[in-house]
Amino acid sequence: MRRRIMAMLACTAAVLSLTACTPVGKAVGDTQEHKPAVAHDLVHPTDVTVGFVGSTDTDMDRMAIDAIADDGLEVAYAALDAEPAASDNDAASADAEAAATATAQNAVNDFTDRAVKLVIISGMNVTTTNQQSWQDILASPRNAGIPVILLNPVSAPDDELLYAATFAINDRDASATPLADAIMTIIRDDPHGRTIAVTTL
């Protein structure tokens, strides 16, 4: 009987710990509307591992990864298996797109299991076909308290609670935020816009 009680308590604690990571009505990494009165710097860049889910634009991904790593953050990169080839065959194109989506979604699950500090998904394209699977997949990092950034998304999920912000790379914008700085803003849950212009320079 005592073992059952202890097991039940352990399960309850596990559920509560997951719930505590999920802000009500806010995305993880996007809960603050005002800067705190007392500045904080609880997370140092050298303690950060970013899980980077790649896209078909491997050159842009590489520029972003290099910019993040150059500022001292560790990056774990999950590349797509292959770029979907242009095809006149609609079924072949759909199969290639589905395979790329599955690879990206598996990478999100893997990074969540590895408890990275933040997940970046590059080039996300939510469609009527994959929107439910993306909804289900993105619930995992949210429940684990891991913020998600969408980098140069083609189409984002309707549910804005599933990601902290979208980053748009614009190396010609003099006012753009360095990519690593923008990442740290999200990790530290400092106030920010839902769309942030970032630079890899």
Side-chain angles (χ1 to χ4, degrees), residues 17-18 20-23 28-29 112 116-118 139-147:
S17 67
L18 284 177
C21 295
T22 308
V28 176
T112 302
V116 297
K117 286 288 186 185
L118 177 141
S140 294
R142 172 170 169 77
N143 291 336
I146 299 172

Side-chain angles (χ1 to χ4, degrees), residues 147-169:
V148 172
I149 291 170
L150 307 184
L151 179 67
N152 294 339
V154 176
S155 177
D158 291 334
D159 187 352
E160 293 190 344
L161 298 183
L162 297 174
Y163 59 97
T166 60
F167 284 5
I169 293 178

Side-chain angles (χ1 to χ4, degrees), residues 9 36 53 61 116 134 190-191 195:
L9 288 174
V53 180
D61 289 347
V116 297
W134 271 121
D190 287 334
T195 301

Side-chain angles (χ1 to χ4, degrees), residues 23-177:
V24 178
K26 299 280 189 179
V28 176
D30 187 28
T31 66
Q32 304 297 320
E33 295 177 2
H34 306 286
K35 254 202 174 317
V38 179
H40 62 83
D41 189 8
L42 300 178
V43 182
H44 193 274
T46 56
D47 297 326
V48 169
T49 298
V50 173
F52 193 108
V53 180
S55 69
T56 56
D57 189 346
T58 54
D59 290 338
M60 182 63 74
D61 289 347
R62 180 52 55 193
M63 287 173 57
I65 290 167
D66 288 346
I68 297 167
D70 286 347
D71 278 340
L73 285 69
E74 183 177 342
V75 184
Y77 177 49
L80 298 186
D81 291 336
E83 181 173 347
S87 173
D88 294 331
N89 185 328
D90 289 343
S93 295
D95 287 346
E97 182 67 30
T101 298
T103 300
Q105 292 178 345
N106 287 337
V108 172
N109 276 336
D110 179 56
F111 289 141
T112 302
D113 290 342
R114 291 166 63 177
V116 297
K117 286 288 186 185
L118 177 141
V119 173
I120 294 177
I121 304 173
S122 179
M124 173 185 274
N125 186 18
V126 175
T127 65
T128 54
T129 303
N130 65 27
Q131 61 183 349
Q132 186 57 56
S133 61
W134 271 121
Q135 180 94 11
D136 296 341
I137 290 295
L138 292 175
S140 294
R142 172 170 169 77
N143 291 336
I146 299 172
V148 172
I149 291 170
L150 307 184
L151 179 67
N152 294 339
V154 176
S155 177
D158 291 334
D159 187 352
E160 293 190 344
L161 298 183
L162 297 174
Y163 59 97
T166 60
F167 284 5
I169 293 178
N170 186 349
D171 289 337
R172 296 181 180 179
D173 184 352
S175 65
T177 304

